[in-house]
Amino acid sequence: MRTELQETKHLITEQYESEQAFLKAFREGNYTFDKPYVKANPYLINPLAAVVCFTTETETAVTLTVKGKTPEADMGHTFPAAKEHVLPVYGLYDDYENTIELKLADGRVSEVKLAVEEQNINRASLMETTPDYFGHDVMFISATTPLIESCRSIAVDYAGDVRWMNTNLQSWDIKKAENGRLLYTSHRTVEKPYYTIGICELDMSGKIYKEYRLPGGFHHDVFEMENGHLLCASDLDFEDSVEDYVVEVDRETGKILKSWDLREILPREGGDAGDWNHHDWFHNNAVWYDKPTDSITMSGRHKDAVINFDYDTGKLNWILGDPETWPEDYQKYFFKNVTKGDFDWQYEQHAASILPNGDVFLFDNGTYRAKKEENRVQPGDNFSRGVIYRIDTDKMEIEQVWEYGKERGAEFYSPYICNTEYYADGHYMVHSGGIATYRGEHTDVLGASLLNSYPHVHLRLWSETVELLNDEVKFRMIVEGGNYYRARRLSLYDEQTNLVLGKGQLLGSLGVSSEFMKVNFKDAGEVPAVHELKMELEEDRLAFRAMFREGSEVIVELRGDKDHFYNVPTEVHDVTAACVAFEEENDNDFQFYIHREGLEGGQYDVYLDVDGKRYDTGYTVRM
């Protein structure tokens, strides 16, 4: 007797069903301006969002305001004239009875009360700013250590109150696109330890409008080009290398239009950072397109180098970093320091960007602060900083023109993650998101890795975000209880705020899974419990998870009208930069996916072959 594996719903489908349910409840009732319909957390992943629904006899504009705990903390937006009003509510407080004010164009006002229960989330332990400076903006920080239950991506207002959150296990950067929506990683993974299926376009309520699926998955960073296309940090061949590939994605179809492989641009060995390893040899953590020079800039943590290459040809233009230990034939790509005064090269940097005047702005983590092991600086004596370098690509000269963080010493030291942000000349943000101590001592071990290595009771993980205007600190926020990948100052409401009803789209492609040669192993009964096999049939793939001895020969068989065989890689690669800890590390825990694309419809019996023995999973899947 076989069991048919039931298909699990994609979050897009679950959100659509939730939307249809609240629309049905609203449209079947008699909900008016004075007595509207209210649905909390309508898209399932943001408890600090809601929708308010009502009808009016005539078309009218509506101003919605979430009343703050102080008048300066009010959040609101004026929506265009309509008769049916389905209005998104952003910026609710948790553990609080919120007041939502509705005001019609004719001046009539009504109020709705909405209590939100307390959420288990880390909060700002320090907030130093003023409403005059920070206004109605919020500071987003994306969780790097969601293995800690309270560490989730949040957004905090000027008073230190959390006004947005995401309950999903998601990380990487959160950016606002030109259309007002957020660009944020998918919640689904494709490969350990943290590679996700692609990038999502969603609104502040958490509603996903598009998920762009990439054959090589997504990590770290995305850049929206002027034409709307997305440059995404991705991978090409997980078994050979990772984090050395970038793709350009069509915004309407999800199709990959162009790609660049850094193995064709740089040497895999030479100039290696302290955390270099052969598999993750470059570790790209930033993608930036510069229109004036038609070039792409990337940040290689494991080379201590920011590189720039031509968009059309992929030809290397320059390398910014310490040239020590790089091969002789690459020395011509480096800059000569001409700074009069203090100057430091950056080490294991993050979030490199090109400013409007051509300067390079980045977060210098400073990890080890040396190319050779014998010259390494100890973490208690080290520093991290935001730094701006002025480069002359004709003379190949470099000058350090601004920095913040060196004067803070180890208290601002993050050996991984972090970012900087340029608002205007003299107006910058510096986010040190990966500060950690173990038994009171600063460490070079990454916070996400510390969670898997040491008793939590002895760990302190936190982030500090600073904004400076003409070198005066105007904003300072500390969040304890986790590390936070990047910070981003945004507004919850803007002139493009608009809830568009309907189901989100799955775009792009996962590709066709590579097949293995046909095998004929001896039947050995049911899958042994030691393998802890778990299977899930998703809308676009069949997901496996199981425990194997490293190096085991593992094959998945789909037996039907036509048989298919898939090899499961069981090689464990070195991970020297676990930027995100979604779960505890286990080298014997393997994940594998068979994409439904390319599989003809039909029914398949599923078998698992391990080291020459063929086990029957007992499951049937219907594609």
Side-chain angles (χ1 to χ4, degrees), residues 315-327:
K315 180 180 178 296
L316 185 64
N317 292 324
W318 48 259
I319 304 173
L320 193 161
D322 186 344
E324 188 176 21
T325 74
W326 279 78

Side-chain angles (χ1 to χ4, degrees), residues 210-267:
K210 297 177 181 180
E211 180 184 69
Y212 298 96
R213 299 166 299 172
L214 306 175
F218 172 81
H219 63 89
H220 284 90
D221 201 14
V222 59
F223 183 93
E224 183 183 26
M225 302 176 71
E226 194 173 271
N227 59 11
H229 295 170
L230 302 176
L231 287 180
C232 298
S234 186
D235 293 291
L236 180 61
D237 181 359
F238 287 112
E239 293 310 298
D240 181 72
S241 64
V242 290
E243 305 189 27
D244 53 7
Y245 196 64
V246 63
V247 296
E248 181 180 349
V249 179
D250 183 279
R251 193 66 166 277
E252 298 304 316
T253 66
K255 181 181 179 181
I256 293 177
L257 303 174
K258 193 173 176 62
S259 62
W260 298 265
D261 185 348
L262 293 191
R263 292 174 298 183
E264 299 175 358
I265 298 175
L266 291 176

